Amino acid sequence: MKLEKAKLVTIIADEAIESKIIEELHAVAVKGFTVTEARGEGLNQNHNSSWEGKNIRIETLASESKANRIIEIMADKYLEKYAMILFCSDVQVFRKDRFQ
């Protein structure tokens, strides 16, 4: 097996919009994603108490075209309205066909 290029799209956002983000990923036809709790500190200071809502981190591996589409959707619909961090990284994966 050899490593092949793919894109890792990472979205960190308020858990209140988790289902909306997942709907958008399904609409783009990603084959899978991972959701984890996220804590940390940034422009909005600390965000670690459950009463103010938790942050989640959603990651998916995708082709470049799907990754670009996800970024476009997030930027158009969510980035200005919600606290969100969005980034895309070049990665190398085994079994690329499982993520395209």
Side-chain angles (χ1 to χ4, degrees), residues 12-53:
I12 301 171
D14 190 296
E15 70 178 340
I17 61 170
E18 177 180 347
S19 62
K20 291 179 181 183
I21 295 170
I22 291 171
E23 286 176 22
E24 302 292 0
L25 294 177
H26 286 148
V28 176
V30 299
K31 292 190 176 179
F33 54 86
T34 300
V35 180
T36 55
E37 185 180 323
R39 293 184 321 223
E41 185 176 327
L43 293 175
N44 296 325
Q45 304 303 321
N46 282 335
H47 186 94
N48 3 333
S49 64
S50 59
W51 67 268
E52 61 184 337

Side-chain angles (χ1 to χ4, degrees), residues 4-11 32-34 57-64 66-68 70-71 86-93 99-100:
E4 298 179 87
K5 293 180 181 181
K7 297 288 184 180
L8 172 64
V9 179
T10 304
I11 304 163
F33 54 86
T34 300
R57 179 182 184 124
I58 300 176
E59 296 178 302
T60 187
L61 292 165
S63 65
E64 184 169 358
K66 284 184 183 180
N68 288 337
I70 293 165
I71 292 165
L86 173 65
F87 56 95
C88 183
S89 306
D90 292 326
V91 294
Q92 294 185 337
V93 298
F99 309 110
Q100 303 294 310

Side-chain angles (χ1 to χ4, degrees), residues 52-89:
E52 61 184 337
K54 295 180 181 179
N55 282 334
I56 53 161
R57 179 182 184 124
I58 300 176
E59 296 178 302
T60 187
L61 292 165
S63 65
E64 184 169 358
S65 61
K66 284 184 183 180
N68 288 337
R69 184 67 187 127
I70 293 165
I71 292 165
E72 288 173 11
I73 291 168
M74 293 300 122
D76 289 346
K77 293 185 176 183
Y78 304 100
L79 205 54
E80 295 299 320
K81 297 176 188 173
Y82 299 94
M84 176 182 281
I85 297 170
L86 173 65
F87 56 95
C88 183
S89 306

